[in-house]
């Protein structure tokens, strides 16, 4: 009898789930209604980096992250947010003050994402955990999915990369990283405010959020679209780096934590996309392109040097998952993966 760990999360989602659920396999479920497409997603919150890396156990950060994780999937679908629900399990001995900090985090993150916090569930348990559900709508246009990229399309990140690991590594080294309120280590922000503007104008061929990290997301896009991807490491710049840090800029982009949406965009639509991004003060970066060569694979390029992208997975139910060993193992991998 085989076990889930023999398959790993990706194979479970590929081989088992589709036999039971319709339409699984994208960032959101999509339901057609008379008023457009309803877009729905649900995800639990892991131990927030605020605690795991920042050593700050205020439940506010967990509430904040719960919303960002879910809303980021809505952003990837190009949806406009409609409502958020939180199913919370909590110890009966927890103070009301601590419980309210969790709710304050949810409320503040919902306000930042402009999504109303409209309900959820509450029951007692031996430890605090929460699962979010977010609803959105694409009224007069189709939701974005991971499939649809064409050879020659540009890969554009909506959202700045690398800031999470710039700050996280400073924190782990005991250095100053600025105010908690403006760092994605504590207050990660999704791209929900902007991606729908692009979807509405049909400027995007495929999209996915980078919640598992940039490299796994690019691998998934390459695989789902049967195309190769070339990631241009020189395009992966990070603001505010010291001279010492600047040689690691590309590396900082590769891990999870920045909550960006990665797009496939026809070169014909790029000018309009950057025009809209400027007008909305959204951050957009052309970081690579889709190719017909090496379908399913991601190649890293720096000048004339190229190399196959290393494995930097956050796969659940996997024997080699860093999640079994803790975030320190991920930090080690991120610092050590060989790059051209
Ligand atoms: N228990 C489940 N039942 C049905 N579909 C599922 C289940 N777990 C995951 N899926 C589907 O598999 C896909 C991938 O899930 P997941 O990795 O959680 O996506 P994301 O990383 O965007 O949160 C999604 O389409 C999701 O709806
Ligand atoms: C502030 C913060 N940012 C990022 C992380 C890391 N992180 C949060 S959710 C997640 C897994 C991916 O999330 P999602 O794709 O939404 O869920 P899943 O695929 O596990 O269902 C990771 C690696 C963290 N723990 N804390
Ligand atoms: Mg999920």
């Amino acid at each position: 009898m085989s076990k889930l760990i023999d398959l790993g999360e990706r194979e479970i989602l590929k081989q088992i789930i589709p036999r039971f659920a319709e339409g699984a396999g994208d960032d959101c479920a999509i339901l057609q209604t008379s008023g457009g497409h309803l877009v729905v997603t649900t995800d639990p919150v892991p131990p927030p980096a605020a605690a795991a890396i920042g050593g700050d156990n205020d439940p506010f950060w967990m509430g904040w992250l719960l919303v960002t994780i879910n809303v980021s999937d809505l952003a990837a679908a190009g949806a406009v947010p409609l409502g958020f629900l939180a199913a919370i399990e909590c110890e009966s001995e927890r103070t009301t003050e601590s419980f309210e900090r969790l709710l304050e985090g949810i409320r503040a993150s919902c306000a930042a994402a402009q999504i109303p916090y409209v309900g959820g569930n509450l029951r007692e348990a031996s430890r605090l955990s929460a699962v979010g559900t977010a609803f959105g709508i694409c009224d007069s246009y189709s939701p974005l999915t991971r499939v649809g990229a064409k050879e020659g399309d540009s890969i554009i990140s909506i959202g700045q990369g690398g800031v999470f690991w710039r700050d996280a590594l400073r924190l782990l080294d005991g250095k100053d990283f600025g105010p908690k309120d403006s760092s994605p280590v504590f207050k990660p922000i999704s791209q929900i405010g902007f991606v729908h503007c692009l979807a509405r104008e049909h400027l995007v061929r495929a999209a996915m959020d980078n919640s598992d990290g940039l490299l796994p997301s690019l691998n998934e896009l390459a695989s789902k679209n049967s195309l190769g991807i070339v990631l241009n490491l020189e395009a992966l710049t990070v603001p505010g780096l010291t001279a010492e840090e600047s040689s690691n800029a590309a590396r900082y982009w590769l891990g999870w934590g920045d909550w960006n949406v990665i797009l496939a965009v026809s070169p014909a639509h790029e000018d309009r996309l950057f025009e809209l991004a400027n007008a909305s003060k959204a951050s957009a970066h052309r970081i690579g392109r889709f190719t017909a060569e090496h379908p399913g694979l991601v190649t890293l390029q720096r000048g004339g040097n190229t190399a196959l992208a290393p494995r930097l997975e956050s796969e659940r139910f996997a024997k080699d998952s860093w999640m079994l060993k803790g975030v320190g193992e991920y930090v080690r991998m991120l610092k050590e993966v060989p790059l051209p």
Side-chain angles (χ1 to χ4, degrees), residues 57-128:
N57 288 308
D58 184 347
F60 179 94
W61 309 119
M62 184 177 175
W64 180 285
L65 178 62
L66 175 68
V67 177
T68 299
I69 286 175
N70 281 280
V71 163
S72 178
D73 282 332
L74 287 188
V80 173
L82 277 184
F84 182 78
L85 308 174
I88 300 168
E89 296 199 343
C90 190
E91 316 88 317
S92 39
E93 292 300 315
R94 184 170 288 269
T95 63
T96 54
E97 191 189 14
S98 165
F99 178 61
E100 286 191 25
R101 284 298 290 164
L102 175 74
L103 299 183
E104 278 168 26
I106 295 175
R107 182 174 63 190
S109 194
C110 279
Q114 297 197 336
I115 188 168
Y117 178 25
V118 292
N121 190 50
L122 179 61
R123 58 171 249 185
E124 67 260 84
S126 56
R127 64 179 193 93
L128 181 65

